Amino acid sequence: MLGAEWAGERTQPEIMEEAGSPRGSRLPWECFSAWLDGVCVVTFDLEIGQAMELVYPHNIHITEKEKTSICYLSFPDSYSGCLGDTQFTFRMRRSAGHKNSLHDAEKYNREAPVNLQRDTAHYFGYVYFRQVRDSSVKRGYFQKSLVLLSSLPYTNLFHTLLQLIAPEYFNKLEPCLEAVCNQIDRWPFPEPGHLLSLPIMGLVLQVKIPSQTDVIETNVATDHPKDRLDPPCHISSIHELDLFRSLQSVLMNLQLLWELVLLGEPLVIMAPSPTISSELVLALTGCISPLKFCSDFRPYFTIHDSEFKEYTTKTQAPPSLLLGVTNPFFIKTLQHWPHILRVGEPRVSGDLPKQVKLKKITKLKTLDTKMGMYTSYKPFLHKDKTLIKQLLKGLQKKLPSSALSLMLRKHLFHLTQSFILPLERYMGSLMPHHSAITPWKNPPQVRPFQQEELMKMLEHTGPQYSSAIKGDWIGLYRRFLKSPHFDGWYRHKQKEMRERLETAHLKVICEANITAWIKNKSEVEIVDLVLKLRDKLVLY
């Protein structure tokens, strides 16, 4: 038990105090909606299969199509054979015209890092599934899932929350869920850059949501928060999972996987359980940080999903997508995909966990496919043997998984950063000089992006001169420029540069001597300037 004194009533003043601003200034369920879209309970019905038993709060609107998808995605398929308690994550499209429209979403996204921004077009589903023998049930098993729906990718926070809520809920049912939701509705709003105290069930979860100005923490290795749930509970990361545990079977092919993810290549992850599938997909989407992952991804996907036909059709090329599956049927339906990674349960073989071997896609068999990375892709860069040596040394010293995860995170972060920095430098060279900004004219335009100009610059200043990793960096850049990640990055940089120019222009106007300027100007010119100033002030 986590404590009998956890708050179920809305009138507890200490919860109000811990949560921040007074209740009177908030609308009902306003704070709850800032964290979660809703809480669902999915059960197994003998006649109809998975069924939605409960949605809370009762007034939230989920379409019938969304309910059906949630029901199928909240249960491991029969091939997984998950007994006991299982946690995993899914991501699904919201119905058309049913996007999340929180008033603070735009402000939050401006302040949050790109990998923690709200996804208003999708639901993240955080699942706690329980399957145990129960002689009182006709089928002989108790099967139920508690699901948190959110637009926020706070994987670690919400799974920690489920570890607290789900066991209590399975014992006490709806009254427990109602009390928990009331408590979440008293939390402060998620605000990047701030340390927040989130009271729940007699505990206070302490979390910090990173802001865009925060630098990656690469100096200190902390214990994984899953091991520490005694009050007060400090969660060291709201979104990062145990990276070493997730990637341990693919370390020898990590360089190849990093390239596939960077280039937005279609990749299927076939795993024995939704836990392994979802953790591996989420780890891969994060391996190109600080670059935003702009392709689509499904940490756990079933044959019942509404996008099944779209993803399995052979009449067009597979989309730019990371797809996590557990049903062996997908080996047949997705064998036309260019890259398929099949992993098993993690097994230790000597010092390093047993590694998935690289195999040609032609070796993929419809039945009884062995573990392996099936692809014809030839990496542009050479393998970095230094990382494997460091990890082996860490394993020999019996370092905790958190320390090994930190090694991996640092390696991937610096690899991506060394790739992006030359692009950042080139984009900076497209900005007009400050002297070209005058108060009486519109701000100058950013010079157009020219691929060949970039390539010439990269030949002399690319990462091939500074990085320990050798290979065809120029070829990798050429391929990257065709990817959805470049498109997303470029659009973001363009917007950022336009805003910087507008800000610089406004500053120049504020510092200008307008009185001296209007002396020799006509009334039309003066009115034109006033109208431009008004428009600019409205914009800001």
Side-chain angles (χ1 to χ4, degrees), residues 368-504:
D368 194 32
T369 294
K370 293 178 181 178
M371 306 305 131
M373 176 70 222
Y374 295 86
T375 181
S376 299
Y377 177 82
K378 291 181 180 177
F380 287 93
L381 305 181
H382 304 156
K383 273 187 184 179
D384 182 14
K385 294 175 183 176
T386 312
L387 174 67
I388 298 298
K389 286 176 185 175
Q390 286 175 342
L391 290 170
L392 277 169
K393 201 177 286 184
L395 285 164
Q396 286 161 3
K397 288 180 180 176
K398 300 195 182 325
L399 290 180
S401 185
S402 56
L404 299 171
S405 292
L406 191 65
M407 279 186 205
L408 274 171
R409 193 165 283 115
K410 280 176 72 173
H411 170 81
L412 292 166
F413 179 83
H414 291 309
L415 179 60
T416 307
Q417 199 173 44
S418 64
F419 181 81
I420 292 297
L421 275 175
L423 293 176
E424 296 271 1
R425 281 199 296 268
Y426 174 70
M427 289 298 283
S429 73
L430 303 180
M431 278 286 279
H433 193 268
H434 188 266
S435 61
I437 303 170
T438 65
W440 322 122
K441 293 180 181 178
N442 287 330
Q445 297 293 305
V446 175
R447 279 201 308 118
F449 181 97
Q450 293 184 344
Q451 183 174 327
E452 289 312 310
E453 186 182 41
L454 168 68
M455 290 302 152
K456 281 180 185 175
M457 191 197 87
L458 287 170
E459 283 173 11
H460 302 290
T461 60
Q464 65 269 27
Y465 297 108
S466 55
S467 175
I469 300 170
K470 302 304 175 187
D472 183 10
W473 285 91
I474 303 297
L476 185 60
Y477 278 111
R478 285 192 185 278
R479 186 85 171 262
F480 174 71
L481 295 182
K482 299 172 185 174
S483 77
H485 301 317
F486 170 73
D487 184 59
W489 175 84
Y490 180 64
R491 286 171 188 271
H492 175 73
K493 292 305 292 184
Q494 273 191 317
K495 182 172 178 281
E496 199 178 73
M497 289 161 78
R498 282 196 299 267
E499 286 172 357
R500 275 167 56 198
L501 276 174
E502 288 290 346
T503 304

Side-chain angles (χ1 to χ4, degrees), residues 350-367:
D351 290 324
L352 201 65
K354 189 171 176 65
Q355 295 297 291
V356 161
K357 291 179 180 175
L358 192 61
K359 299 182 179 183
K360 290 181 179 177
I361 196 77
T362 50
K363 299 276 185 182
L364 187 71
K365 295 175 183 175
T366 308
L367 297 171

Side-chain angles (χ1 to χ4, degrees), residues 54-95:
L54 176 68
V55 176
Y56 202 88
H58 298 302
N59 62 344
I60 67 163
H61 178 63
I62 300 176
T63 66
E64 289 305 312
K65 183 182 177 183
E66 288 171 341
K67 283 182 181 178
T68 302
S69 294
I70 291 166
C71 285
Y72 282 120
L73 289 166
S74 298
F75 269 47
D77 59 44
S78 56
Y79 298 94
S80 300
C82 298
L83 272 174
D85 292 352
T86 304
Q87 285 183 255
F88 58 93
T89 308
F90 66 79
R91 179 175 175 266
M92 57 172 265
R93 283 180 195 161
R94 292 175 187 261
S95 295

